[in-house]
Amino acid sequence: MSGGPAGYEARFRRHAAVDEAVDRYTSAILAVREDAAYAFKLLSKEERYRAFMIFGLMSAMDEKGYGLPNGLFASYCEQAAGISKRTAQTTLQLLVHYGFAQMRIDPSDRRSRLYRAEPKLVQFLTDWIEASLIALRLLDVPAAREATPRQLMPALTVSGSDAYAQDGYVFFPDPDFRHLFAEIEGGSLVVMAVVASAREGGPGPSRGDLARRFHMSRAQVTRIVAVGRESGLFGADEAGAPTVTARLEDTYLDCILKALGFLAFHYENGLRMGGGPRTLPGERER
């Protein structure tokens, strides 16, 4: 456990299976995001995505299914994560709209709203954790082999929820990459798809293919590609499709290994701290 997430990241960089792990993780996360393509507005920009994940992590502690007060959630997002209350409130509305949460009036304070996670959110988080475990098993992380997503969700909450809220952008050390991947709506999807195609040895995906795949307009994709090319993160093939540059290859690898190092540390640390099976949001009492 010494060295924290950075220690795991350093170990992963030396691992013989690091390239395969990054490939498998990229493909698995893309699959999870494509399955939730209907929730594009909620998950396609990093600030809303972070608020979504914070809601999920906080909800994992709500064993009785009481629900999170909207004021508490918005204040936590603002104070701990630097996410505006407006974005937090919009995220709550979108969570309800897409069926990830249910809203009710707080019986103890009619001015407050309570938001309870629904099974759809639990399934998304389960699939998201399993995507990381595909990579972490290859990288010989014990928790990835010995625990299930059902056990690791509360473990991650116990150990990593505050760290994620306070420093969720630590995965993006390159400011140009952060802008492309995290701050432009749909940028992360386009980057992952272009990287995945390159790592599989195929041609760069066309703008039309990307737009259809991720339910975006061609104008959105064109803007993302233009920003990537201006910063030297995307190149172009003879047909004008975006391709991976050496800079993107390096910065993407940094991002994924930092994310996997963070998850590996907090999965294992959370289990050590006593995080484990409990009633999760959307589940009935047993």
Side-chain angles (χ1 to χ4, degrees), residues 122 125-126 129-130 133 147-155 271 275-281 283-284 286:
V122 179
L125 292 175
T126 298
I129 289 173
E130 180 56 40
L133 298 186
T148 66
R150 172 70 174 72
Q151 296 169 302
L152 291 173
M153 193 185 305
L271 290 174
R278 65 181 73 205
T279 304
L280 296 179
E283 291 184 333
R284 294 181 179 180
R286 296 181 179 180

Side-chain angles (χ1 to χ4, degrees), residues 15-86:
H15 200 287
V18 63
D19 287 330
E20 183 182 359
V22 171
D23 290 348
R24 297 284 298 278
Y25 179 73
T26 299
S27 297
I29 287 292
L30 269 174
V32 172
R33 295 290 297 275
E34 284 187 84
D35 285 345
Y38 60 89
F40 178 84
K41 292 296 293 183
L42 177 60
L43 301 172
S44 62
K45 195 170 183 179
E46 188 67 20
E47 191 173 43
R48 288 194 300 267
Y49 187 82
R50 288 182 67 212
F52 170 88
M53 296 300 293
I54 289 168
F55 179 84
L57 293 172
M58 292 178 74
S59 294
M61 304 304 291
D62 180 25
E63 298 184 43
K64 301 298 183 182
Y66 182 72
L68 292 175
N70 62 314
L72 173 65
F73 174 70
S75 294
Y76 182 83
C77 283
E78 183 178 53
Q79 295 170 18
I83 296 171
S84 71
K85 287 187 177 181
R86 180 178 179 179

Side-chain angles (χ1 to χ4, degrees), residues 35-222:
D35 285 345
Y38 60 89
F40 178 84
K41 292 296 293 183
L42 177 60
L43 301 172
S44 62
K45 195 170 183 179
E46 188 67 20
E47 191 173 43
R48 288 194 300 267
Y49 187 82
R50 288 182 67 212
F52 170 88
M53 296 300 293
I54 289 168
F55 179 84
L57 293 172
M58 292 178 74
S59 294
M61 304 304 291
D62 180 25
E63 298 184 43
K64 301 298 183 182
Y66 182 72
L68 292 175
N70 62 314
L72 173 65
F73 174 70
S75 294
Y76 182 83
C77 283
E78 183 178 53
Q79 295 170 18
I83 296 171
S84 71
K85 287 187 177 181
R86 180 178 179 179
T87 295
Q89 295 289 359
T90 298
T91 299
L92 290 174
Q93 294 169 11
L94 290 171
L95 281 163
V96 173
H97 176 74
Y98 291 119
F100 288 109
Q102 184 180 102
M103 185 274 286
R104 66 186 178 94
I105 304 296
D106 187 342
S108 65
D109 181 358
R110 305 285 302 176
R111 297 168 300 176
S112 179
R113 303 291 186 269
L114 299 174
Y115 290 81
R116 186 187 68 190
E118 290 287 84
K120 184 182 288 188
L121 176 61
V122 179
Q123 187 60 56
F124 180 92
L125 292 175
T126 298
D127 293 343
W128 177 79
I129 289 173
E130 180 56 40
S132 70
L133 298 186
I134 290 171
L136 295 177
R137 291 181 191 117
L138 290 169
L139 296 170
D140 298 320
V141 175
R145 298 187 181 278
E146 299 165 3
T148 66
R150 172 70 174 72
Q151 296 169 302
L152 291 173
M153 193 185 305
L156 179 60
T157 298
V158 167
S159 177
S161 56
D162 285 346
Y164 178 78
Q166 293 164 9
D167 207 6
Y169 286 116
V170 71
F171 312 134
F172 311 109
D174 182 316
D176 289 333
F177 180 79
R178 171 177 167 172
H179 179 60
L180 177 65
F181 192 93
E183 296 172 349
I184 300 177
E185 193 164 78
S188 59
L189 296 170
V190 171
V191 170
M192 286 190 291
V194 173
V195 170
S197 293
R199 295 181 76 95
E200 292 167 2
S206 71
R207 290 173 173 80
D209 288 341
L210 290 167
R212 286 188 293 273
R213 182 177 182 184
F214 300 122
H215 303 274
M216 290 189 279
S217 68
R218 288 178 64 95
Q220 283 178 293
V221 174
T222 296

Side-chain angles (χ1 to χ4, degrees), residues 230-276:
E230 288 169 7
S231 60
L233 291 165
F234 283 149
D237 63 16
E238 293 180 355
T243 58
V244 174
T245 62
R247 182 182 180 192
L248 177 57
E249 188 173 349
D250 290 342
T251 52
Y252 183 79
L253 181 64
D254 282 345
C255 172
I256 299 305
L257 292 183
K258 287 182 186 305
L260 291 175
F262 178 93
L263 292 171
F265 172 78
H266 289 295
Y267 288 156
E268 300 209 313
N269 190 51
L271 290 174
R272 182 183 63 81
M273 293 170 64

